[in-house]
Amino acid sequence: MQKEQIFSAQTVDRAIEKALETLHLDRDAISVEVMDMGRKGFLGLGASDAKIRVTYEAEEPAPVQPASKPVSQPVAKEKEKPAEKRDETPRLVKAAPQGTKPVEKPQPPKPAKQEEAPRLVRAASGEKPAPKPAPKPVEEPAEQSEVKQYPKAEPLPEAEWSNEAKAAIAFIDGLLVKLGVEGHAFVTNQSETDHLRIEIEGPDMGPVIGRRGDTLDAIQYLTSLVLNRGTDDHIRLTIDTENYRIKRAESLERLARKMAGKVVRYHKPMTLEPMNPYERRIIHAALQDYRGVTTHSTGTEPGRRVVISPEGGRKYNGRRTPKQ
């Protein structure tokens, strides 16, 4: 079941953080539509908060009720059956004193009670292990963890580094020292003549990555200026650490397919969060062959966003199938 809520804060990013804290959801689980970007005002005059509309999937509580009813019915039947058996045993004891042989009275009830008790325990114990096939799904995360293993970048011998690459490595290492981050940079063997790939390695790369890769993108931009300073040919540069670029691209592709499914299902456009040009290209490429949706960018940098809209204004069956 899809639900919507409206949140407001000083900025759009703060409104999104407020929504995530209130709904206790991840960023990939919601879609955000900006209703008002807000105003800063002048000296506090004319300022207004940013307003967003958050759409998310909420679980329906209806299927919980039929699951609880069948559980109570067999329990009541089990309690009624032993009650009937217990009623029969005292009747046998009462009928015994009417006979002429009182010696036989204590003998029949003792084995009868001992036999009935273990039978009830076995019947109950036989029914309990039936609903316990839970340890099977433990094998699934093991397979998923194996799929998510990424190859480690191998360094290129320093003898094969160009002068521009050495200058870029020296700049990054000096920047890490000033940031107080323990680590070092090296050129990977995946580099090409016109594309230099650098990997940063260290015990804690969280400060290097930053919030959604903002710090890593800033380091890459500054290093690109140093790399191409004083050269006629422009050399492309990619800086990565702990396979963040690959993980981020996979996360964006999953988000794009999830939002596209909602657009096809509800026939309603969805606006994603602000992204840089590289991340926006990933969204456009992931939905290029997705049937029933079309994508375009709106806004200005750095708040430019991707909008996923229904294609041709026609409703589809909600199947996530690629275009043919």
Side-chain angles (χ1 to χ4, degrees), residues 209-240:
I209 297 174
R211 183 176 179 271
R212 294 176 184 169
D214 293 342
T215 305
L216 188 62
D217 292 338
I219 295 175
Q220 178 173 302
Y221 174 74
L222 296 176
T223 309
S224 178
L225 296 179
V226 175
L227 177 64
N228 294 282
R229 182 177 55 188
T231 59
D232 297 334
D233 298 334
H234 179 78
I235 301 176
R236 292 182 299 166
L237 174 66
T238 300
I239 299 179
D240 196 5

PDB file of all heavy atoms in Angstrom, residues 209-240:
ATOM      1  N   ILE A 209      35.406   9.208   1.577  1.00  0.00           N
ATOM      2  CA  ILE A 209      34.201   9.076   0.745  1.00  0.00           C
ATOM      3  C   ILE A 209      33.228  10.219   1.022  1.00  0.00           C
ATOM      4  O   ILE A 209      32.705  10.845   0.106  1.00  0.00           O
ATOM      5  CB  ILE A 209      33.528   7.711   0.997  1.00  0.00           C
ATOM      6  CG1 ILE A 209      34.468   6.576   0.572  1.00  0.00           C
ATOM      7  CG2 ILE A 209      32.206   7.617   0.246  1.00  0.00           C
ATOM      8  CD1 ILE A 209      33.951   5.198   0.912  1.00  0.00           C
ATOM      9  N   GLY A 210      32.980  10.502   2.300  1.00  0.00           N
ATOM     10  CA  GLY A 210      32.052  11.573   2.638  1.00  0.00           C
ATOM     11  C   GLY A 210      30.610  11.161   2.472  1.00  0.00           C
ATOM     12  O   GLY A 210      30.285   9.987   2.232  1.00  0.00           O
ATOM     13  N   ARG A 211      29.728  12.125   2.572  1.00  0.00           N
ATOM     14  CA  ARG A 211      28.290  11.867   2.467  1.00  0.00           C
ATOM     15  C   ARG A 211      27.925  11.653   0.999  1.00  0.00           C
ATOM     16  O   ARG A 211      27.999  12.573   0.198  1.00  0.00           O
ATOM     17  CB  ARG A 211      27.496  13.039   3.051  1.00  0.00           C
ATOM     18  CG  ARG A 211      25.988  12.842   3.044  1.00  0.00           C
ATOM     19  CD  ARG A 211      25.300  14.012   3.729  1.00  0.00           C
ATOM     20  NE  ARG A 211      23.851  13.854   3.714  1.00  0.00           N
ATOM     21  CZ  ARG A 211      23.073  14.295   2.742  1.00  0.00           C
ATOM     22  NH1 ARG A 211      23.601  14.915   1.691  1.00  0.00           N
ATOM     23  NH2 ARG A 211      21.761  14.120   2.792  1.00  0.00           N
ATOM     24  N   ARG A 212      27.560  10.411   0.675  1.00  0.00           N
ATOM     25  CA  ARG A 212      27.183  10.017  -0.681  1.00  0.00           C
ATOM     26  C   ARG A 212      28.273  10.351  -1.688  1.00  0.00           C
ATOM     27  O   ARG A 212      28.007  10.718  -2.835  1.00  0.00           O
ATOM     28  CB  ARG A 212      25.871  10.677  -1.090  1.00  0.00           C
ATOM     29  CG  ARG A 212      24.683  10.201  -0.280  1.00  0.00           C
ATOM     30  CD  ARG A 212      23.430  10.944  -0.632  1.00  0.00           C
ATOM     31  NE  ARG A 212      22.325  10.544   0.219  1.00  0.00           N
ATOM     32  CZ  ARG A 212      21.148  11.172   0.276  1.00  0.00           C
ATOM     33  NH1 ARG A 212      20.936  12.218  -0.495  1.00  0.00           N
ATOM     34  NH2 ARG A 212      20.199  10.746   1.075  1.00  0.00           N
ATOM     35  N   GLY A 213      29.536  10.234  -1.259  1.00  0.00           N
ATOM     36  CA  GLY A 213      30.661  10.415  -2.162  1.00  0.00           C
ATOM     37  C   GLY A 213      31.011  11.851  -2.466  1.00  0.00           C
ATOM     38  O   GLY A 213      31.775  12.104  -3.418  1.00  0.00           O
ATOM     39  N   ASP A 214      30.509  12.824  -1.684  1.00  0.00           N
ATOM     40  CA  ASP A 214      30.794  14.231  -1.973  1.00  0.00           C
ATOM     41  C   ASP A 214      32.283  14.542  -1.799  1.00  0.00           C
ATOM     42  O   ASP A 214      32.878  15.241  -2.631  1.00  0.00           O
ATOM     43  CB  ASP A 214      29.961  15.130  -1.057  1.00  0.00           C
ATOM     44  CG  ASP A 214      28.472  15.041  -1.360  1.00  0.00           C
ATOM     45  OD1 ASP A 214      28.144  14.568  -2.466  1.00  0.00           O
ATOM     46  OD2 ASP A 214      27.657  15.428  -0.509  1.00  0.00           O
ATOM     47  N   THR A 215      32.898  14.051  -0.728  1.00  0.00           N
ATOM     48  CA  THR A 215      34.320  14.324  -0.496  1.00  0.00           C
ATOM     49  C   THR A 215      35.183  13.662  -1.548  1.00  0.00           C
ATOM     50  O   THR A 215      36.154  14.250  -2.040  1.00  0.00           O
ATOM     51  CB  THR A 215      34.720  13.828   0.905  1.00  0.00           C
ATOM     52  OG1 THR A 215      33.853  14.413   1.888  1.00  0.00           O
ATOM     53  CG2 THR A 215      36.147  14.215   1.227  1.00  0.00           C
ATOM     54  N   LEU A 216      34.844  12.431  -1.924  1.00  0.00           N
ATOM     55  CA  LEU A 216      35.615  11.735  -2.961  1.00  0.00           C
ATOM     56  C   LEU A 216      35.512  12.460  -4.302  1.00  0.00           C
ATOM     57  O   LEU A 216      36.501  12.564  -5.034  1.00  0.00           O
ATOM     58  CB  LEU A 216      35.116  10.296  -3.084  1.00  0.00           C
ATOM     59  CG  LEU A 216      35.922   9.367  -3.987  1.00  0.00           C
ATOM     60  CD1 LEU A 216      37.343   9.198  -3.461  1.00  0.00           C
ATOM     61  CD2 LEU A 216      35.239   8.006  -4.101  1.00  0.00           C
ATOM     62  N   ASP A 217      34.336  12.974  -4.626  1.00  0.00           N
ATOM     63  CA  ASP A 217      34.177  13.738  -5.872  1.00  0.00           C
ATOM     64  C   ASP A 217      34.982  15.031  -5.832  1.00  0.00           C
ATOM     65  O   ASP A 217      35.554  15.448  -6.852  1.00  0.00           O
ATOM     66  CB  ASP A 217      32.700  14.050  -6.108  1.00  0.00           C
ATOM     67  CG  ASP A 217      31.885  12.805  -6.412  1.00  0.00           C
ATOM     68  OD1 ASP A 217      32.484  11.800  -6.840  1.00  0.00           O
ATOM     69  OD2 ASP A 217      30.656  12.832  -6.212  1.00  0.00           O
ATOM     70  N   ALA A 218      35.041  15.680  -4.659  1.00  0.00           N
ATOM     71  CA  ALA A 218      35.822  16.909  -4.541  1.00  0.00           C
ATOM     72  C   ALA A 218      37.314  16.635  -4.712  1.00  0.00           C
ATOM     73  O   ALA A 218      38.027  17.396  -5.384  1.00  0.00           O
ATOM     74  CB  ALA A 218      35.552  17.564  -3.187  1.00  0.00           C
ATOM     75  N   ILE A 219      37.802  15.538  -4.123  1.00  0.00           N
ATOM     76  CA  ILE A 219      39.209  15.168  -4.294  1.00  0.00           C
ATOM     77  C   ILE A 219      39.507  14.863  -5.757  1.00  0.00           C
ATOM     78  O   ILE A 219      40.559  15.237  -6.295  1.00  0.00           O
ATOM     79  CB  ILE A 219      39.549  13.962  -3.391  1.00  0.00           C
ATOM     80  CG1 ILE A 219      39.419  14.350  -1.912  1.00  0.00           C
ATOM     81  CG2 ILE A 219      40.945  13.450  -3.683  1.00  0.00           C
ATOM     82  CD1 ILE A 219      39.615  13.185  -0.958  1.00  0.00           C
ATOM     83  N   GLN A 220      38.597  14.196  -6.417  1.00  0.00           N
ATOM     84  CA  GLN A 220      38.802  13.876  -7.834  1.00  0.00           C
ATOM     85  C   GLN A 220      38.830  15.142  -8.684  1.00  0.00           C
ATOM     86  O   GLN A 220      39.637  15.263  -9.621  1.00  0.00           O
ATOM     87  CB  GLN A 220      37.691  12.932  -8.306  1.00  0.00           C
ATOM     88  CG  GLN A 220      37.756  12.558  -9.770  1.00  0.00           C
ATOM     89  CD  GLN A 220      36.737  11.503 -10.143  1.00  0.00           C
ATOM     90  OE1 GLN A 220      36.720  10.416  -9.590  1.00  0.00           O
ATOM     91  NE2 GLN A 220      35.866  11.830 -11.087  1.00  0.00           N
ATOM     92  N   TYR A 221      37.966  16.105  -8.370  1.00  0.00           N
ATOM     93  CA  TYR A 221      37.929  17.349  -9.154  1.00  0.00           C
ATOM     94  C   TYR A 221      39.221  18.150  -8.972  1.00  0.00           C
ATOM     95  O   TYR A 221      39.817  18.626  -9.952  1.00  0.00           O
ATOM     96  CB  TYR A 221      36.723  18.179  -8.721  1.00  0.00           C
ATOM     97  CG  TYR A 221      36.669  19.551  -9.353  1.00  0.00           C
ATOM     98  CD1 TYR A 221      36.313  19.710 -10.693  1.00  0.00           C
ATOM     99  CD2 TYR A 221      36.979  20.688  -8.612  1.00  0.00           C
ATOM    100  CE1 TYR A 221      36.271  20.964 -11.282  1.00  0.00           C
ATOM    101  CE2 TYR A 221      36.941  21.942  -9.186  1.00  0.00           C
ATOM    102  CZ  TYR A 221      36.591  22.074 -10.517  1.00  0.00           C
ATOM    103  OH  TYR A 221      36.553  23.328 -11.094  1.00  0.00           O
ATOM    104  N   LEU A 222      39.682  18.294  -7.721  1.00  0.00           N
ATOM    105  CA  LEU A 222      40.918  19.044  -7.475  1.00  0.00           C
ATOM    106  C   LEU A 222      42.129  18.354  -8.093  1.00  0.00           C
ATOM    107  O   LEU A 222      43.013  19.006  -8.660  1.00  0.00           O
ATOM    108  CB  LEU A 222      41.115  19.218  -5.972  1.00  0.00           C
ATOM    109  CG  LEU A 222      40.061  20.058  -5.237  1.00  0.00           C
ATOM    110  CD1 LEU A 222      40.323  20.057  -3.735  1.00  0.00           C
ATOM    111  CD2 LEU A 222      40.038  21.490  -5.779  1.00  0.00           C
ATOM    112  N   THR A 223      42.173  17.035  -7.996  1.00  0.00           N
ATOM    113  CA  THR A 223      43.293  16.302  -8.579  1.00  0.00           C
ATOM    114  C   THR A 223      43.288  16.396 -10.099  1.00  0.00           C
ATOM    115  O   THR A 223      44.345  16.425 -10.739  1.00  0.00           O
ATOM    116  CB  THR A 223      43.251  14.834  -8.138  1.00  0.00           C
ATOM    117  OG1 THR A 223      43.125  14.765  -6.718  1.00  0.00           O
ATOM    118  CG2 THR A 223      44.513  14.096  -8.551  1.00  0.00           C
ATOM    119  N   SER A 224      42.118  16.455 -10.704  1.00  0.00           N
ATOM    120  CA  SER A 224      42.029  16.600 -12.157  1.00  0.00           C
ATOM    121  C   SER A 224      42.606  17.943 -12.606  1.00  0.00           C
ATOM    122  O   SER A 224      43.259  18.028 -13.660  1.00  0.00           O
ATOM    123  CB  SER A 224      40.576  16.470 -12.613  1.00  0.00           C
ATOM    124  OG  SER A 224      40.458  16.645 -14.004  1.00  0.00           O
ATOM    125  N   LEU A 225      42.394  18.978 -11.802  1.00  0.00           N
ATOM    126  CA  LEU A 225      42.986  20.277 -12.137  1.00  0.00           C
ATOM    127  C   LEU A 225      44.510  20.212 -12.081  1.00  0.00           C
ATOM    128  O   LEU A 225      45.206  20.776 -12.937  1.00  0.00           O
ATOM    129  CB  LEU A 225      42.459  21.345 -11.179  1.00  0.00           C
ATOM    130  CG  LEU A 225      40.956  21.637 -11.230  1.00  0.00           C
ATOM    131  CD1 LEU A 225      40.596  22.696 -10.190  1.00  0.00           C
ATOM    132  CD2 LEU A 225      40.531  22.094 -12.624  1.00  0.00           C
ATOM    133  N   VAL A 226      45.041  19.521 -11.066  1.00  0.00           N
ATOM    134  CA  VAL A 226      46.496  19.381 -10.957  1.00  0.00           C
ATOM    135  C   VAL A 226      47.042  18.508 -12.081  1.00  0.00           C
ATOM    136  O   VAL A 226      48.119  18.778 -12.640  1.00  0.00           O
ATOM    137  CB  VAL A 226      46.863  18.790  -9.580  1.00  0.00           C
ATOM    138  CG1 VAL A 226      48.357  18.519  -9.481  1.00  0.00           C
ATOM    139  CG2 VAL A 226      46.425  19.729  -8.471  1.00  0.00           C
ATOM    140  N   LEU A 227      46.316  17.461 -12.448  1.00  0.00           N
ATOM    141  CA  LEU A 227      46.782  16.525 -13.464  1.00  0.00           C
ATOM    142  C   LEU A 227      46.874  17.179 -14.838  1.00  0.00           C
ATOM    143  O   LEU A 227      47.828  16.933 -15.591  1.00  0.00           O
ATOM    144  CB  LEU A 227      45.842  15.316 -13.517  1.00  0.00           C
ATOM    145  CG  LEU A 227      46.119  14.248 -14.574  1.00  0.00           C
ATOM    146  CD1 LEU A 227      47.458  13.576 -14.306  1.00  0.00           C
ATOM    147  CD2 LEU A 227      45.004  13.209 -14.584  1.00  0.00           C
ATOM    148  N   ASN A 228      45.888  17.980 -15.176  1.00  0.00           N
ATOM    149  CA  ASN A 228      45.832  18.581 -16.514  1.00  0.00           C
ATOM    150  C   ASN A 228      46.429  19.991 -16.560  1.00  0.00           C
ATOM    151  O   ASN A 228      46.243  20.699 -17.557  1.00  0.00           O
ATOM    152  CB  ASN A 228      44.382  18.628 -16.997  1.00  0.00           C
ATOM    153  CG  ASN A 228      43.803  17.239 -17.218  1.00  0.00           C
ATOM    154  OD1 ASN A 228      44.072  16.586 -18.218  1.00  0.00           O
ATOM    155  ND2 ASN A 228      42.991  16.786 -16.271  1.00  0.00           N
ATOM    156  N   ARG A 229      47.097  20.403 -15.499  1.00  0.00           N
ATOM    157  CA  ARG A 229      47.719  21.733 -15.499  1.00  0.00           C
ATOM    158  C   ARG A 229      48.994  21.709 -16.341  1.00  0.00           C
ATOM    159  O   ARG A 229      49.895  20.901 -16.126  1.00  0.00           O
ATOM    160  CB  ARG A 229      48.049  22.149 -14.056  1.00  0.00           C
ATOM    161  CG  ARG A 229      48.660  23.542 -13.933  1.00  0.00           C
ATOM    162  CD  ARG A 229      48.873  23.873 -12.470  1.00  0.00           C
ATOM    163  NE  ARG A 229      49.681  22.848 -11.812  1.00  0.00           N
ATOM    164  CZ  ARG A 229      49.894  22.819 -10.502  1.00  0.00           C
ATOM    165  NH1 ARG A 229      49.333  23.730  -9.707  1.00  0.00           N
ATOM    166  NH2 ARG A 229      50.652  21.858  -9.983  1.00  0.00           N
ATOM    167  N   GLY A 230      49.046  22.592 -17.295  1.00  0.00           N
ATOM    168  CA  GLY A 230      50.225  22.708 -18.150  1.00  0.00           C
ATOM    169  C   GLY A 230      50.329  21.654 -19.226  1.00  0.00           C
ATOM    170  O   GLY A 230      51.398  21.476 -19.812  1.00  0.00           O
ATOM    171  N   THR A 231      49.251  20.922 -19.516  1.00  0.00           N
ATOM    172  CA  THR A 231      49.265  19.900 -20.579  1.00  0.00           C
ATOM    173  C   THR A 231      48.283  20.280 -21.664  1.00  0.00           C
ATOM    174  O   THR A 231      47.234  20.902 -21.398  1.00  0.00           O
ATOM    175  CB  THR A 231      48.899  18.519 -20.018  1.00  0.00           C
ATOM    176  OG1 THR A 231      47.595  18.578 -19.422  1.00  0.00           O
ATOM    177  CG2 THR A 231      49.904  18.089 -18.958  1.00  0.00           C
ATOM    178  N   ASP A 232      48.613  19.925 -22.901  1.00  0.00           N
ATOM    179  CA  ASP A 232      47.716  20.217 -24.024  1.00  0.00           C
ATOM    180  C   ASP A 232      46.579  19.209 -24.129  1.00  0.00           C
ATOM    181  O   ASP A 232      45.447  19.562 -24.461  1.00  0.00           O
ATOM    182  CB  ASP A 232      48.522  20.229 -25.332  1.00  0.00           C
ATOM    183  CG  ASP A 232      49.583  21.327 -25.337  1.00  0.00           C
ATOM    184  OD1 ASP A 232      49.393  22.335 -24.615  1.00  0.00           O
ATOM    185  OD2 ASP A 232      50.603  21.156 -26.043  1.00  0.00           O
ATOM    186  N   ASP A 233      46.878  17.937 -23.866  1.00  0.00           N
ATOM    187  CA  ASP A 233      45.856  16.888 -23.959  1.00  0.00           C
ATOM    188  C   ASP A 233      45.185  16.712 -22.607  1.00  0.00           C
ATOM    189  O   ASP A 233      45.850  16.651 -21.568  1.00  0.00           O
ATOM    190  CB  ASP A 233      46.491  15.572 -24.398  1.00  0.00           C
ATOM    191  CG  ASP A 233      47.114  15.685 -25.774  1.00  0.00           C
ATOM    192  OD1 ASP A 233      46.650  16.540 -26.561  1.00  0.00           O
ATOM    193  OD2 ASP A 233      48.095  14.945 -26.052  1.00  0.00           O
ATOM    194  N   HIS A 234      43.865  16.625 -22.646  1.00  0.00           N
ATOM    195  CA  HIS A 234      43.108  16.430 -21.407  1.00  0.00           C
ATOM    196  C   HIS A 234      43.098  14.947 -21.035  1.00  0.00           C
ATOM    197  O   HIS A 234      42.765  14.082 -21.855  1.00  0.00           O
ATOM    198  CB  HIS A 234      41.672  16.930 -21.574  1.00  0.00           C
ATOM    199  CG  HIS A 234      40.837  16.748 -20.343  1.00  0.00           C
ATOM    200  ND1 HIS A 234      40.930  17.583 -19.245  1.00  0.00           N
ATOM    201  CD2 HIS A 234      39.891  15.816 -20.023  1.00  0.00           C
ATOM    202  CE1 HIS A 234      40.104  17.191 -18.315  1.00  0.00           C
ATOM    203  NE2 HIS A 234      39.439  16.118 -18.768  1.00  0.00           N
ATOM    204  N   ILE A 235      43.494  14.644 -19.827  1.00  0.00           N
ATOM    205  CA  ILE A 235      43.531  13.260 -19.337  1.00  0.00           C
ATOM    206  C   ILE A 235      42.370  13.064 -18.362  1.00  0.00           C
ATOM    207  O   ILE A 235      42.221  13.822 -17.400  1.00  0.00           O
ATOM    208  CB  ILE A 235      44.869  12.968 -18.635  1.00  0.00           C
ATOM    209  CG1 ILE A 235      46.035  13.193 -19.591  1.00  0.00           C
ATOM    210  CG2 ILE A 235      44.890  11.531 -18.112  1.00  0.00           C
ATOM    211  CD1 ILE A 235      47.401  13.013 -18.945  1.00  0.00           C
ATOM    212  N   ARG A 236      41.562  12.071 -18.646  1.00  0.00           N
ATOM    213  CA  ARG A 236      40.457  11.766 -17.738  1.00  0.00           C
ATOM    214  C   ARG A 236      40.997  11.119 -16.458  1.00  0.00           C
ATOM    215  O   ARG A 236      42.002  10.404 -16.490  1.00  0.00           O
ATOM    216  CB  ARG A 236      39.450  10.830 -18.403  1.00  0.00           C
ATOM    217  CG  ARG A 236      38.686  11.468 -19.556  1.00  0.00           C
ATOM    218  CD  ARG A 236      37.675  10.494 -20.113  1.00  0.00           C
ATOM    219  NE  ARG A 236      38.321   9.288 -20.635  1.00  0.00           N
ATOM    220  CZ  ARG A 236      37.668   8.166 -20.934  1.00  0.00           C
ATOM    221  NH1 ARG A 236      36.353   8.092 -20.728  1.00  0.00           N
ATOM    222  NH2 ARG A 236      38.313   7.123 -21.415  1.00  0.00           N
ATOM    223  N   LEU A 237      40.303  11.348 -15.367  1.00  0.00           N
ATOM    224  CA  LEU A 237      40.753  10.863 -14.066  1.00  0.00           C
ATOM    225  C   LEU A 237      39.591  10.243 -13.312  1.00  0.00           C
ATOM    226  O   LEU A 237      38.486  10.806 -13.294  1.00  0.00           O
ATOM    227  CB  LEU A 237      41.354  12.009 -13.234  1.00  0.00           C
ATOM    228  CG  LEU A 237      41.749  11.674 -11.793  1.00  0.00           C
ATOM    229  CD1 LEU A 237      42.904  10.679 -11.764  1.00  0.00           C
ATOM    230  CD2 LEU A 237      42.110  12.938 -11.026  1.00  0.00           C
ATOM    231  N   THR A 238      39.840   9.109 -12.689  1.00  0.00           N
ATOM    232  CA  THR A 238      38.861   8.443 -11.824  1.00  0.00           C
ATOM    233  C   THR A 238      39.570   8.038 -10.541  1.00  0.00           C
ATOM    234  O   THR A 238      40.555   7.299 -10.582  1.00  0.00           O
ATOM    235  CB  THR A 238      38.250   7.199 -12.495  1.00  0.00           C
ATOM    236  OG1 THR A 238      37.585   7.587 -13.701  1.00  0.00           O
ATOM    237  CG2 THR A 238      37.243   6.539 -11.570  1.00  0.00           C
ATOM    238  N   ILE A 239      39.057   8.531  -9.421  1.00  0.00           N
ATOM    239  CA  ILE A 239      39.607   8.187  -8.110  1.00  0.00           C
ATOM    240  C   ILE A 239      38.560   7.376  -7.364  1.00  0.00           C
ATOM    241  O   ILE A 239      37.395   7.770  -7.282  1.00  0.00           O
ATOM    242  CB  ILE A 239      39.986   9.451  -7.310  1.00  0.00           C
ATOM    243  CG1 ILE A 239      41.057  10.246  -8.065  1.00  0.00           C
ATOM    244  CG2 ILE A 239      40.502   9.077  -5.933  1.00  0.00           C
ATOM    245  CD1 ILE A 239      41.465  11.525  -7.358  1.00  0.00           C
ATOM    246  N   ASP A 240      38.977   6.256  -6.820  1.00  0.00           N
ATOM    247  CA  ASP A 240      38.055   5.356  -6.129  1.00  0.00           C
ATOM    248  C   ASP A 240      38.722   4.835  -4.865  1.00  0.00           C
ATOM    249  O   ASP A 240      39.953   4.885  -4.719  1.00  0.00           O
ATOM    250  CB  ASP A 240      37.657   4.192  -7.034  1.00  0.00           C
ATOM    251  CG  ASP A 240      36.419   3.455  -6.530  1.00  0.00           C
ATOM    252  OD1 ASP A 240      35.826   3.915  -5.529  1.00  0.00           O
ATOM    253  OD2 ASP A 240      36.057   2.432  -7.133  1.00  0.00           O
TER     254      ASP A 240
END
